[in-house]
Structure formats: structure tokens, C-alpha cells
Amino acid sequence: METKAYANHAADKPFVPYSFKRRELGPDDVGIKIQFCGICHSDIHTARSEWGPTPYPCVPGHEIVGVVDAVGSNVDKFKTGQKVGVGCLVGSCGSCPSCEDGLENYCDKGFVGTYGAPEGDGDYTKGGYSDYIVTAQHFVLSIPDNLDLAAAAPLLCAGITTYSPFKHVGLKKGDKLGILGLGGLGHMGVKLGASFGADVTVISRSIHKKPDAESLGAHNFILSSNEDEVARHAETFDYILDTVSAPHDLAQAMGMLKREGTLIMVGASERPLDLSVFPLIMRRRKILGSLIGGISETQEMLDHCGKHNITSNIELIEPTKINEAYERTINSDVKYRFVIDCKKF
Ligand code: NAP
Ligand code: ZN
């Protein structure tokens, strides 16, 4: 299947139109006409080789939504015309203890990422900055009908990445939850945290985001550069979700956690972070890492969003604006996720 896309050809090169062939539809595959794809900061880290060398041409995109166009002979979960999504995973070994636990994201042999993962014959997977994808049915998700399709796209990464650790720690009504960094992940953390009944506070460098934090469902806002405000919130949070995409000092967030509170790390800075151990050991605090979520949990998150009518706040762009959107995301100038209109490729 000839597929139109946008790719960059080196870490310092912009995105340009590109075309390639998707694999033939196999018996377990679903062929999807992509309608929309979100721009995650992980796309930027990867396209710019910030996490290590990326194979080029690079077609990122793992917040994919579209409509089923074709199904293989073994496919029983999906029908043509159905609204579906593909997130960060398109394969895993299926037989290791993690896969058997439904945690394909932690596959012991390494999951197959939607883009940049080796795929037969020296080729690499290509993601959703394109107009078509062929994906094994196990990794295809069903999108609730009541959700706006473009605004649902970011649920496939930003949504599940924040939902999964909340479920893992057992976030519940009345828990004090801080969200560090109000970007794509952060704003989903606010909405989902509030839907669990948590008391949500945004901790941000950007004072202009304060009114938005409240309208997204946060109960409180802390400007991280205001030392008095930070000091007033010492030892107040049960959990802080750290979504920051760049190097930063962990001491400030650590100091705002209660005794035995947990700092949940989802932001993936390309460089190691400074950690002073005393705030950790003196108050028996914890640090927890979390990577997206498994397939069944992703479906559970989508159904939860359908039930609570939760989607992302998006800025819909044409493919020609991808380079500009990258610069604006890096400058924290997006409300709160760019989504590409893939019908315009
Ligand atoms: P994003 O939209 O760019 O948001 C990141 C936010 O971090 C910004 O809005 C900003 O918030 C804050 N920030 C940025 N630079 C900062 C700095 N130098 N110091 C302090 N704060 C800073 O990015 P995203 O798409 O939400 O992704 C966030 C991170 O999570 C990325 O590293 C991404 O790769 C990673 N990620 C991880 C997973 C996972 O499975 N663990 C999944 C998806 C993404 P304020 O302006 O409010 O301060
Ligand atoms: Zn992502």
C-alpha cells in the first residue's frame, strides 16, 4: 500500500513530504485509514536523535486514530468503518511473563515500537505522520463513539501514560496529586487525576497557564519559580507526576511530597537528572518510573474516557505545519497537544 507521509532525514533536518509502502495485509492485520495523529514530545526526542541514534528517514507518530479500511481473514475484533486507534506499541513477543500479564509495554524481549523499531529486512517501523497503517489486531484499540476523533488521538499516548501509573498506585478520591509540567501529558494527568477524584495541583514554570489549569479541572496552581509558594506546599502531596521533558532538579518536587509520598517519573529527559538522596531517605519517599501502558489497560483507559467524556485539548494542524509545531512544543507554546490532520497528506 503506497502511503503518503512526512519524514525527517537527519536529526537536524526538517520534516518534508515522503512516501513509502506499508506491508501487505496479513491474516491478523487491520488496515487503517489514518485521520489524525498527535505530536508527542517523544516524537521530537526521537526525530532529533536525543535518546540515541535514530534510523532515518524517521516517520514518527504514536497517537494514531482512524477508520478501519480492511481486515485480514483471522480478524474478529474489528469491522470496516469502525473508529480505531494505534498507540506506541505494534508488537511484542506475546509469551514472556510481562506479555502474559498483559504488560506488552514491558515485554521482556522489548516491545516493537510504532516507529523506529527494526522490522524485517533492515527496515524500520513508521508511525502516524502518514495516511495509512497496517497493524496486527492485538495492538489496535477501539475508540468510543461519543469521543471527538481528533481530540481522542492524544489518549493513545498522553492518556495511557498518565492513566497507567494512577491505576498502579491506586490513586483515589481525596488523594493530593501534583502534576509537574503542564504540557501534553500534564494536561491529561490533570483531567484523568480529577476523574479519579484526586485533589489536583498543577506545578508549572508558566504563570500564563494558571487559568487553563483551573479550566482543565485542577484545584490549585503552584508557580515553580515562586519559592514562598513552593515552601508553603512542603510535605503536602501523596503523589507528584513528573512530566517534564528536559533536565531539571528533582529536589523541589521531592520536598513537596508527604512522608512516604511517591514521585512518578514519566517525563524522559535525554540527560540524567540530579537527585539528592537526603529528601528521599529522611522521609521514606519513593520514586516510580512508568512507561505508557499495556494494550488491555489502554482499552480500559479509552472506555473510561468515553464514560467520563474526556479528550485532549488540541490544536489541529495541517502536515505542512509540523516543523513549526515542534518549535512551539519545545517552547511550551501549545494548548495542549498538536494533532495533525492526516487526511491532508
Ligand atoms: P510537552 O507537551 O512538551 O510538555 C512538557 C512540559 O514540561 C512543558 O509543557 C513544560 O511545562 C515542562 N518543561 C519543559 N521543559 C522544562 C524545563 N527545562 N524545566 C522545567 N519544566 C519544563 O511534552 P509531553 O508530550 O507532555 O511529554 C513530556 C515528557 O514525557 C517527554 O520527555 C516525553 O518524551 C515523555 N513521555 C514519556 C512517556 C512514558 O511512557 N513514560 C510517554 C510519553 C511521553 P510548564 O510550562 O508547565 O512548566
Ligand atoms: Zn508519546
Side-chain angles (χ1 to χ4, degrees):
M1 168 68 73
E2 196 63 29
T3 302
K4 286 193 223 142
Y6 262 54
N8 75 332
H9 292 264
D12 58 352
K13 292 282 184 287
F15 280 87
V16 291
Y18 173 70
S19 63
F20 64 98
K21 280 196 168 43
R22 290 285 184 195
R23 68 164 187 257
E24 294 292 315
L25 194 79
D28 294 308
D29 285 336
V30 179
I32 301 164
K33 270 192 184 148
I34 302 179
Q35 300 214 336
F36 303 102
C37 181
I39 295 181
C40 175
H41 207 117
S42 302
D43 301 350
I44 304 177
H45 291 304
T46 306
R48 299 190 171 182
S49 283
E50 290 174 356
W51 288 339
T54 292
Y56 296 97
C58 171
V59 180
H62 56 208
E63 294 183 337
I64 300 167
V65 290
V67 173
V68 176
D69 174 60
V71 292
S73 53
N74 293 342
V75 172
D76 48 10
K77 278 166 58 190
F78 300 99
K79 293 195 171 59
T80 55
Q82 193 177 338
K83 288 197 274 181
V84 292
V86 177
C88 306
L89 315 171
V90 293
S92 70
C93 83
S95 56
C96 71
S98 299
C99 285
E100 278 176 3
D101 286 346
L103 297 171
E104 300 89 343
N105 50 323
Y106 299 115
C107 173
D108 299 4
K109 303 213 170 104
F111 67 84
V112 182
T114 305
Y115 57 81
E119 182 188 48
D121 298 342
D123 206 356
Y124 290 86
T125 54
K126 295 185 176 64
Y129 296 8
S130 61
D131 65 1
Y132 203 90
I133 192 164
V134 177
T135 306
Q137 69 164 335
H138 181 76
F139 295 90
V140 178
L141 288 312
S142 166
I143 308 289
D145 267 330
N146 60 314
L147 299 182
D148 176 78
L149 201 54
L155 301 179
L156 275 305
C157 175
I160 184 59
T161 300
T162 51
Y163 180 90
S164 181
F166 293 166
K167 287 292 284 198
H168 183 72
V169 300
L171 183 71
K172 59 185 186 312
K173 193 169 164 47
D175 282 346
K176 300 261 187 225
L177 170 67
I179 302 287
L180 184 60
L182 191 62
L185 265 56
H187 95 292
M188 289 313 308
V190 171
K191 292 186 184 206
L192 287 165
S195 77
F196 281 55
D199 184 275
V200 183
T201 297
V202 167
I203 307 161
S204 166
R205 307 168 297 174
S206 312
I207 189 66
H208 64 91
K209 294 182 182 174
K210 188 174 179 179
D212 293 342
E214 282 154 20
S215 65
L216 290 165
H219 308 89
N220 198 358
F221 181 93
I222 298 173
L223 183 64
S224 54
S225 57
N226 183 332
E227 285 173 19
D228 291 342
E229 218 174 334
V230 171
R232 270 202 310 281
H233 290 86
E235 312 232 359
T236 51
F237 294 104
D238 297 290
Y239 306 103
I240 294 178
L241 181 78
D242 184 335
T243 74
V244 174
S245 51
H248 59 290
D249 182 11
L250 296 180
Q252 185 184 67
M254 196 72 81
M256 286 191 273
L257 286 170
K258 288 178 183 170
R259 192 195 76 219
E260 288 158 18
T262 304
L263 182 64
I264 305 169
M265 297 300 308
V266 288
S269 163
E270 69 276 19
R271 278 185 279 133
L273 305 182
D274 280 340
L275 172 69
S276 163
V277 294
F278 286 99
L280 195 63
I281 60 183
M282 298 302 283
R283 305 298 286 153
R284 197 153 65 176
R285 292 169 173 134
K286 290 162 273 195
I287 301 184
L288 173 77
S290 189
L291 175 73
I292 38 175
I295 293 299
S296 63
E297 194 174 54
T298 305
Q299 190 61 58
E300 178 190 305
M301 175 277 306
L302 287 165
D303 295 343
H304 174 92
C305 289
K307 190 168 153 211
H308 296 268
N309 218 3
I310 295 172
T311 51
S312 181
N313 291 28
I314 65 163
E315 295 191 41
L316 191 63
I317 58 163
E318 304 227 345
T320 51
K321 300 284 184 198
I322 293 171
N323 297 304
E324 193 182 308
Y326 270 38
E327 293 314 315
R328 284 189 49 202
T329 302
I330 290 163
N331 293 325
S332 272
D333 175 25
V334 48
K335 294 193 168 193
Y336 274 87
R337 196 60 134 186
F338 285 111
V339 170
I340 305 164
D341 188 345
C342 299
K343 303 187 294 310
K344 304 280 175 67
F345 277 109

